[in-house]
Amino acid sequence: MSDPAQEATMERILQEISGVGRRLEEMDNTIASIMAETKSIRLDIAGFQSRVLGLEPRVSLVETQVASSRDQDQELLYLRSKLTDLEDRSRRDNGRSLGFPETIEGEDMLSFLRETLPKLTDIAFDPLLEFQRAHRLGPKRPSTTARPRRS
């Protein structure tokens, strides 16, 4: 028959095998849990990918609109400055004197106008005429002997 030492060894071997079986079952359960979690994570990632793909065209549209808005802002600033300039000009009391020969004003346009306009209109201005600005049309002729710009 069998020897008690052999039986004890066999009993220990069976217990070890049984313990290994329990640990393998635990590992199998852990692996199944990990696989389920991994599958859940994959589904979440797929959902995020589809959301990102849906957002990309919208982001591109917003970027285009922002760039367009910047261009419009610059144009608006330009138009505002032009409007301010035009408003300033329309508030001035502008007068234009035509028919004077070129270079008759000499070097000082303001002095020429202050002296000439009272003589031409036969009006004594008191106080004297005040001019905000005076300027000629076009550039001065290079010399007094050069041909006039208009005939």
Side-chain angles (χ1 to χ4, degrees), residues 102-103 136 139-151:
E102 278 191 85
T103 67
R136 60 184 346 279
K140 286 189 176 184
R141 287 192 310 187
S143 71
T144 55
T145 59
R147 220 177 78 204
R149 287 177 283 157
R150 295 185 202 160
S151 49

Side-chain angles (χ1 to χ4, degrees), residues 12-132:
R12 270 187 298 167
I13 291 174
L14 285 173
Q15 285 176 353
E16 288 289 325
I17 289 174
S18 176
V20 168
R22 278 192 302 268
R23 281 186 285 199
L24 284 175
E25 282 180 33
E26 288 173 9
M27 287 176 143
D28 192 37
N29 290 339
T30 303
I31 288 173
S33 171
I34 290 172
M35 287 177 70
E37 222 173 298
T38 303
K39 184 176 181 181
S40 172
I41 290 171
R42 269 194 234 150
L43 291 173
D44 288 345
I45 289 173
F48 290 141
Q49 283 177 330
S50 67
R51 287 178 67 189
V52 166
L53 289 175
L55 290 175
E56 283 179 344
R58 292 172 65 188
V59 168
S60 295
L61 178 65
V62 169
E63 287 173 339
T64 303
Q65 289 174 342
V66 165
S68 173
S69 174
R70 285 187 191 127
D71 293 343
Q72 289 174 350
D73 286 348
Q74 288 195 349
E75 184 179 3
L76 181 62
L77 288 173
Y78 171 72
L79 291 174
R80 279 184 182 164
S81 71
K82 263 189 109 162
L83 177 64
T84 301
D85 183 53
L86 289 171
E87 286 175 342
D88 288 348
R89 287 177 192 269
S90 72
R91 287 189 193 113
R92 293 185 202 140
D93 294 326
N94 293 321
R96 182 177 283 194
S97 301
L98 302 173
F100 290 105
E102 278 191 85
T103 67
I104 197 169
E105 77 277 359
E107 292 296 317
D108 187 6
M109 175 76 76
L110 289 174
S111 294
F112 171 75
L113 290 173
R114 278 192 193 104
E115 292 171 11
T116 307
L117 287 179
K119 290 177 190 174
L120 291 174
T121 59
D122 263 348
I123 299 174
F125 293 99
D126 188 32
L128 292 178
L129 286 175
E130 183 180 320
F131 296 96
Q132 289 177 339

